[in-house]
Amino acid sequence: MFITKVVSKGKHGKSYTSILLRQSVRVGSSVKSKTLAVLTHLPPHIVDAIQRALNQSPDKSTAGQGECLQQLTDCSGCTLQLRQGPSFGGIWVADQLAQRLGIKKAIG
């Protein structure tokens, strides 16, 4: 993931700058960028904190990354909150187990 600034020209020669959180995706032999979030509305110090969090080396521990994310939320002044999405893995495993044991057929 990376942050990029995109300058686009509007009508009457006015230019607009958008700050985007993007991810590089390989499609066949070409590389495309997928926009994950628009960060234009965030203050510059928040964008800088996100940039620092993204620039951490991948060989650091998960605990270090969690601390960096916590610093990011503290710096945002409660405008950015961390949340955990619903767990899909446990439901999928239970479904696969029920299917292999024939429970799904028995129940209908």
Side-chain angles (χ1 to χ4, degrees):
M1 285 192 286
F2 59 96
I3 293 178
T4 185
K5 292 183 181 180
V6 177
V7 179
S8 58
K9 292 190 177 187
K11 293 183 180 178
H12 309 294
K14 188 173 181 180
S15 63
Y16 299 95
T17 302
S18 298
I19 302 171
L20 306 172
L21 177 64
R22 289 188 161 177
Q23 181 178 19
S24 295
V25 179
R26 181 169 291 280
V27 179
S29 62
S30 64
V31 177
K32 301 198 179 219
S33 293
K34 178 180 178 183
T35 301
L36 302 175
V38 178
L39 306 176
T40 306
H41 62 283
L42 295 175
H45 68 280
I46 303 274
V47 175
D48 290 338
I50 294 170
Q51 182 68 46
R52 285 194 308 272
L54 292 174
N55 286 340
Q56 274 194 340
S57 64
D59 62 341
K60 292 193 176 182
S61 68
T62 307
Q65 292 172 354
E67 289 174 9
C68 188
L69 288 174
Q70 187 60 46
Q71 290 174 357
L72 178 63
T73 57
D74 294 343
C75 159
S76 72
C78 296
T79 58
L80 182 66
Q81 296 178 353
L82 294 178
R83 63 185 178 120
Q84 182 176 351
S87 176
F88 173 76
I91 295 170
W92 184 81
V93 168
D95 178 65
Q96 292 297 310
L97 186 60
Q99 184 175 354
R100 287 183 185 174
L101 294 175
I103 298 172
K104 285 179 82 172
K105 278 186 178 179
I107 294 175

